[in-house]
Amino acid sequence: MDKAFLSDRLPYQNHKLTQAEVLEAFATDAKQIIPALISELTNHRKMLVTRIGDAVTLINAESEDEAFRYYWTLWLALNEGEELRALEAKLARHRRMLSVIAGKPTPTGRLTDGAIEAARDYPIQDLLDVTFRRSGNRLVGLCPFHAEKSPSFYVFLNQNKAHCFGCQKSVDSISAYMELNGCDFKAAVLALAGGVV
Ligand SMILES: [Zn+2]
């Protein structure tokens, strides 16, 4: 079939809409809907975290047996943990969409060593929605990457890095930003480095 014939009838066939274009078309609706979805997802996440915490307490109260505790904690991680990860990915996606419709420019430009350094220096604790308690050169709080009831998430202020002794996750400011906003290394550096680029 003649290509011109097709393109007359399917004017958009070669034009893949970007996320920004789609959102622009629905900007007014999206500006109302997305924050509502985010708060709904945040509530759902809170409930799930509470449920997991309660279940862990219950497992520990039920038996002193390490194998019993291990088995049921693993079962929890596989089931509820999966739901939690899916929820967090969804939340990150919605936050990203919101920043697109808020007109925040998609970061562009080349990465320089200076930008990467500046991004790594961005105080990691300011990126995390965690209430910390200070203990010497460290901050201690509840891990933002897994559900827990007693704090095992540490920020090492001298290194500007964080590690969770519960889930063994280690992040610096760039990887924390990537994880929380669902973006890649470059976008994280450009966002964190601000004017340094
Ligand atoms: Zn953790």
Side-chain angles (χ1 to χ4, degrees), residues 154-173:
Y154 287 77
V155 168
F156 301 95
L157 293 168
N158 291 343
Q159 292 139 45
N160 199 34
K161 282 183 181 157
H163 179 76
C164 173
F165 291 93
C167 67
Q168 303 302 324
K169 195 174 189 72
S170 284
V171 283
D172 66 1
S173 48

PDB file of all heavy atoms in Angstrom, residues 154-173:
ATOM      1  N   TYR A 154      20.489   4.041  58.953  1.00  0.00           N
ATOM      2  CA  TYR A 154      21.497   4.992  59.436  1.00  0.00           C
ATOM      3  C   TYR A 154      21.986   5.892  58.315  1.00  0.00           C
ATOM      4  O   TYR A 154      22.282   5.419  57.219  1.00  0.00           O
ATOM      5  CB  TYR A 154      22.712   4.241  60.000  1.00  0.00           C
ATOM      6  CG  TYR A 154      22.433   3.601  61.332  1.00  0.00           C
ATOM      7  CD1 TYR A 154      21.695   2.428  61.407  1.00  0.00           C
ATOM      8  CD2 TYR A 154      22.906   4.173  62.507  1.00  0.00           C
ATOM      9  CE1 TYR A 154      21.429   1.840  62.637  1.00  0.00           C
ATOM     10  CE2 TYR A 154      22.649   3.592  63.734  1.00  0.00           C
ATOM     11  CZ  TYR A 154      21.907   2.431  63.794  1.00  0.00           C
ATOM     12  OH  TYR A 154      21.639   1.855  65.008  1.00  0.00           O
ATOM     13  N   VAL A 155      22.074   7.191  58.614  1.00  0.00           N
ATOM     14  CA  VAL A 155      22.758   8.119  57.705  1.00  0.00           C
ATOM     15  C   VAL A 155      24.122   8.404  58.321  1.00  0.00           C
ATOM     16  O   VAL A 155      24.210   8.764  59.495  1.00  0.00           O
ATOM     17  CB  VAL A 155      21.968   9.433  57.533  1.00  0.00           C
ATOM     18  CG1 VAL A 155      22.826  10.478  56.835  1.00  0.00           C
ATOM     19  CG2 VAL A 155      20.685   9.190  56.748  1.00  0.00           C
ATOM     20  N   PHE A 156      25.166   8.189  57.544  1.00  0.00           N
ATOM     21  CA  PHE A 156      26.518   8.487  58.010  1.00  0.00           C
ATOM     22  C   PHE A 156      26.890   9.867  57.491  1.00  0.00           C
ATOM     23  O   PHE A 156      27.162  10.038  56.295  1.00  0.00           O
ATOM     24  CB  PHE A 156      27.490   7.399  57.534  1.00  0.00           C
ATOM     25  CG  PHE A 156      27.093   6.041  58.030  1.00  0.00           C
ATOM     26  CD1 PHE A 156      26.325   5.193  57.235  1.00  0.00           C
ATOM     27  CD2 PHE A 156      27.429   5.637  59.310  1.00  0.00           C
ATOM     28  CE1 PHE A 156      25.919   3.959  57.705  1.00  0.00           C
ATOM     29  CE2 PHE A 156      27.023   4.401  59.790  1.00  0.00           C
ATOM     30  CZ  PHE A 156      26.268   3.565  58.991  1.00  0.00           C
ATOM     31  N   LEU A 157      26.826  10.829  58.398  1.00  0.00           N
ATOM     32  CA  LEU A 157      26.933  12.231  57.984  1.00  0.00           C
ATOM     33  C   LEU A 157      28.285  12.543  57.331  1.00  0.00           C
ATOM     34  O   LEU A 157      28.345  13.326  56.390  1.00  0.00           O
ATOM     35  CB  LEU A 157      26.686  13.151  59.186  1.00  0.00           C
ATOM     36  CG  LEU A 157      25.245  13.102  59.707  1.00  0.00           C
ATOM     37  CD1 LEU A 157      25.124  13.797  61.058  1.00  0.00           C
ATOM     38  CD2 LEU A 157      24.275  13.726  58.703  1.00  0.00           C
ATOM     39  N   ASN A 158      29.347  11.913  57.817  1.00  0.00           N
ATOM     40  CA  ASN A 158      30.670  12.195  57.249  1.00  0.00           C
ATOM     41  C   ASN A 158      30.776  11.775  55.785  1.00  0.00           C
ATOM     42  O   ASN A 158      31.479  12.395  54.996  1.00  0.00           O
ATOM     43  CB  ASN A 158      31.769  11.470  58.034  1.00  0.00           C
ATOM     44  CG  ASN A 158      31.920  12.068  59.415  1.00  0.00           C
ATOM     45  OD1 ASN A 158      31.451  13.178  59.664  1.00  0.00           O
ATOM     46  ND2 ASN A 158      32.553  11.330  60.321  1.00  0.00           N
ATOM     47  N   GLN A 159      30.080  10.682  55.455  1.00  0.00           N
ATOM     48  CA  GLN A 159      30.162  10.173  54.078  1.00  0.00           C
ATOM     49  C   GLN A 159      28.966  10.580  53.230  1.00  0.00           C
ATOM     50  O   GLN A 159      28.960  10.339  52.025  1.00  0.00           O
ATOM     51  CB  GLN A 159      30.250   8.649  54.105  1.00  0.00           C
ATOM     52  CG  GLN A 159      31.550   8.124  54.680  1.00  0.00           C
ATOM     53  CD  GLN A 159      31.302   6.928  55.581  1.00  0.00           C
ATOM     54  OE1 GLN A 159      30.538   6.031  55.238  1.00  0.00           O
ATOM     55  NE2 GLN A 159      31.920   6.927  56.748  1.00  0.00           N
ATOM     56  N   ASN A 160      27.950  11.167  53.861  1.00  0.00           N
ATOM     57  CA  ASN A 160      26.702  11.486  53.176  1.00  0.00           C
ATOM     58  C   ASN A 160      26.117  10.261  52.474  1.00  0.00           C
ATOM     59  O   ASN A 160      25.718  10.298  51.317  1.00  0.00           O
ATOM     60  CB  ASN A 160      26.908  12.638  52.186  1.00  0.00           C
ATOM     61  CG  ASN A 160      25.592  13.298  51.804  1.00  0.00           C
ATOM     62  OD1 ASN A 160      24.677  13.396  52.631  1.00  0.00           O
ATOM     63  ND2 ASN A 160      25.471  13.738  50.569  1.00  0.00           N
ATOM     64  N   LYS A 161      26.122   9.149  53.206  1.00  0.00           N
ATOM     65  CA  LYS A 161      25.571   7.898  52.686  1.00  0.00           C
ATOM     66  C   LYS A 161      24.661   7.299  53.742  1.00  0.00           C
ATOM     67  O   LYS A 161      24.771   7.640  54.923  1.00  0.00           O
ATOM     68  CB  LYS A 161      26.690   6.903  52.387  1.00  0.00           C
ATOM     69  CG  LYS A 161      27.410   7.207  51.089  1.00  0.00           C
ATOM     70  CD  LYS A 161      28.458   6.176  50.792  1.00  0.00           C
ATOM     71  CE  LYS A 161      29.153   6.556  49.482  1.00  0.00           C
ATOM     72  NZ  LYS A 161      30.464   5.984  49.374  1.00  0.00           N
ATOM     73  N   ALA A 162      23.773   6.403  53.293  1.00  0.00           N
ATOM     74  CA  ALA A 162      22.876   5.768  54.251  1.00  0.00           C
ATOM     75  C   ALA A 162      22.895   4.260  54.049  1.00  0.00           C
ATOM     76  O   ALA A 162      23.105   3.772  52.934  1.00  0.00           O
ATOM     77  CB  ALA A 162      21.461   6.299  54.081  1.00  0.00           C
ATOM     78  N   HIS A 163      22.690   3.556  55.149  1.00  0.00           N
ATOM     79  CA  HIS A 163      22.622   2.096  55.062  1.00  0.00           C
ATOM     80  C   HIS A 163      21.546   1.588  56.017  1.00  0.00           C
ATOM     81  O   HIS A 163      21.387   2.112  57.115  1.00  0.00           O
ATOM     82  CB  HIS A 163      23.971   1.479  55.439  1.00  0.00           C
ATOM     83  CG  HIS A 163      23.952  -0.023  55.398  1.00  0.00           C
ATOM     84  ND1 HIS A 163      23.983  -0.720  54.205  1.00  0.00           N
ATOM     85  CD2 HIS A 163      23.867  -0.950  56.386  1.00  0.00           C
ATOM     86  CE1 HIS A 163      23.922  -2.016  54.476  1.00  0.00           C
ATOM     87  NE2 HIS A 163      23.853  -2.182  55.789  1.00  0.00           N
ATOM     88  N   CYS A 164      20.803   0.595  55.540  1.00  0.00           N
ATOM     89  CA  CYS A 164      19.801  -0.022  56.410  1.00  0.00           C
ATOM     90  C   CYS A 164      20.303  -1.394  56.831  1.00  0.00           C
ATOM     91  O   CYS A 164      20.622  -2.226  55.979  1.00  0.00           O
ATOM     92  CB  CYS A 164      18.469  -0.152  55.673  1.00  0.00           C
ATOM     93  SG  CYS A 164      17.268  -1.092  56.622  1.00  0.00           S
ATOM     94  N   PHE A 165      20.371  -1.604  58.143  1.00  0.00           N
ATOM     95  CA  PHE A 165      20.835  -2.889  58.648  1.00  0.00           C
ATOM     96  C   PHE A 165      19.692  -3.909  58.657  1.00  0.00           C
ATOM     97  O   PHE A 165      19.906  -5.079  58.954  1.00  0.00           O
ATOM     98  CB  PHE A 165      21.454  -2.724  60.039  1.00  0.00           C
ATOM     99  CG  PHE A 165      22.759  -1.975  59.987  1.00  0.00           C
ATOM    100  CD1 PHE A 165      22.794  -0.597  60.168  1.00  0.00           C
ATOM    101  CD2 PHE A 165      23.945  -2.634  59.691  1.00  0.00           C
ATOM    102  CE1 PHE A 165      23.991   0.111  60.080  1.00  0.00           C
ATOM    103  CE2 PHE A 165      25.146  -1.939  59.595  1.00  0.00           C
ATOM    104  CZ  PHE A 165      25.174  -0.564  59.799  1.00  0.00           C
ATOM    105  N   GLY A 166      18.478  -3.444  58.312  1.00  0.00           N
ATOM    106  CA  GLY A 166      17.350  -4.360  58.216  1.00  0.00           C
ATOM    107  C   GLY A 166      17.290  -5.000  56.844  1.00  0.00           C
ATOM    108  O   GLY A 166      17.299  -6.221  56.711  1.00  0.00           O
ATOM    109  N   CYS A 167      17.255  -4.162  55.798  1.00  0.00           N
ATOM    110  CA  CYS A 167      17.125  -4.711  54.441  1.00  0.00           C
ATOM    111  C   CYS A 167      18.433  -4.658  53.675  1.00  0.00           C
ATOM    112  O   CYS A 167      18.484  -5.053  52.508  1.00  0.00           O
ATOM    113  CB  CYS A 167      16.003  -4.013  53.669  1.00  0.00           C
ATOM    114  SG  CYS A 167      16.334  -2.279  53.282  1.00  0.00           S
ATOM    115  N   GLN A 168      19.484  -4.156  54.312  1.00  0.00           N
ATOM    116  CA  GLN A 168      20.832  -4.114  53.726  1.00  0.00           C
ATOM    117  C   GLN A 168      20.954  -3.173  52.538  1.00  0.00           C
ATOM    118  O   GLN A 168      21.864  -3.292  51.742  1.00  0.00           O
ATOM    119  CB  GLN A 168      21.303  -5.531  53.287  1.00  0.00           C
ATOM    120  CG  GLN A 168      21.309  -6.557  54.398  1.00  0.00           C
ATOM    121  CD  GLN A 168      22.203  -6.141  55.568  1.00  0.00           C
ATOM    122  OE1 GLN A 168      23.245  -5.537  55.383  1.00  0.00           O
ATOM    123  NE2 GLN A 168      21.757  -6.415  56.783  1.00  0.00           N
ATOM    124  N   LYS A 169      20.017  -2.240  52.434  1.00  0.00           N
ATOM    125  CA  LYS A 169      20.099  -1.302  51.311  1.00  0.00           C
ATOM    126  C   LYS A 169      21.085  -0.193  51.655  1.00  0.00           C
ATOM    127  O   LYS A 169      21.074   0.346  52.754  1.00  0.00           O
ATOM    128  CB  LYS A 169      18.718  -0.707  51.040  1.00  0.00           C
ATOM    129  CG  LYS A 169      18.647  -0.029  49.710  1.00  0.00           C
ATOM    130  CD  LYS A 169      17.226   0.408  49.419  1.00  0.00           C
ATOM    131  CE  LYS A 169      17.088   0.892  48.003  1.00  0.00           C
ATOM    132  NZ  LYS A 169      17.162  -0.189  47.021  1.00  0.00           N
ATOM    133  N   SER A 170      21.949   0.131  50.688  1.00  0.00           N
ATOM    134  CA  SER A 170      22.880   1.243  50.847  1.00  0.00           C
ATOM    135  C   SER A 170      22.618   2.258  49.744  1.00  0.00           C
ATOM    136  O   SER A 170      22.464   1.882  48.589  1.00  0.00           O
ATOM    137  CB  SER A 170      24.319   0.760  50.701  1.00  0.00           C
ATOM    138  OG  SER A 170      24.716   0.101  51.860  1.00  0.00           O
ATOM    139  N   VAL A 171      22.549   3.525  50.112  1.00  0.00           N
ATOM    140  CA  VAL A 171      22.334   4.561  49.096  1.00  0.00           C
ATOM    141  C   VAL A 171      23.206   5.780  49.373  1.00  0.00           C
ATOM    142  O   VAL A 171      23.557   6.049  50.519  1.00  0.00           O
ATOM    143  CB  VAL A 171      20.858   5.041  49.040  1.00  0.00           C
ATOM    144  CG1 VAL A 171      19.985   4.034  48.335  1.00  0.00           C
ATOM    145  CG2 VAL A 171      20.303   5.349  50.419  1.00  0.00           C
ATOM    146  N   ASP A 172      23.542   6.477  48.296  1.00  0.00           N
ATOM    147  CA  ASP A 172      24.076   7.823  48.455  1.00  0.00           C
ATOM    148  C   ASP A 172      22.980   8.762  47.960  1.00  0.00           C
ATOM    149  O   ASP A 172      21.888   8.315  47.610  1.00  0.00           O
ATOM    150  CB  ASP A 172      25.415   7.997  47.720  1.00  0.00           C
ATOM    151  CG  ASP A 172      25.279   7.895  46.211  1.00  0.00           C
ATOM    152  OD1 ASP A 172      24.137   7.714  45.713  1.00  0.00           O
ATOM    153  OD2 ASP A 172      26.298   7.994  45.523  1.00  0.00           O
ATOM    154  N   SER A 173      23.270  10.070  47.955  1.00  0.00           N
ATOM    155  CA  SER A 173      22.179  10.990  47.622  1.00  0.00           C
ATOM    156  C   SER A 173      21.650  10.748  46.204  1.00  0.00           C
ATOM    157  O   SER A 173      20.454  10.829  45.970  1.00  0.00           O
ATOM    158  CB  SER A 173      22.624  12.440  47.793  1.00  0.00           C
ATOM    159  OG  SER A 173      23.853  12.648  47.164  1.00  0.00           O
TER     160      SER A 173
END
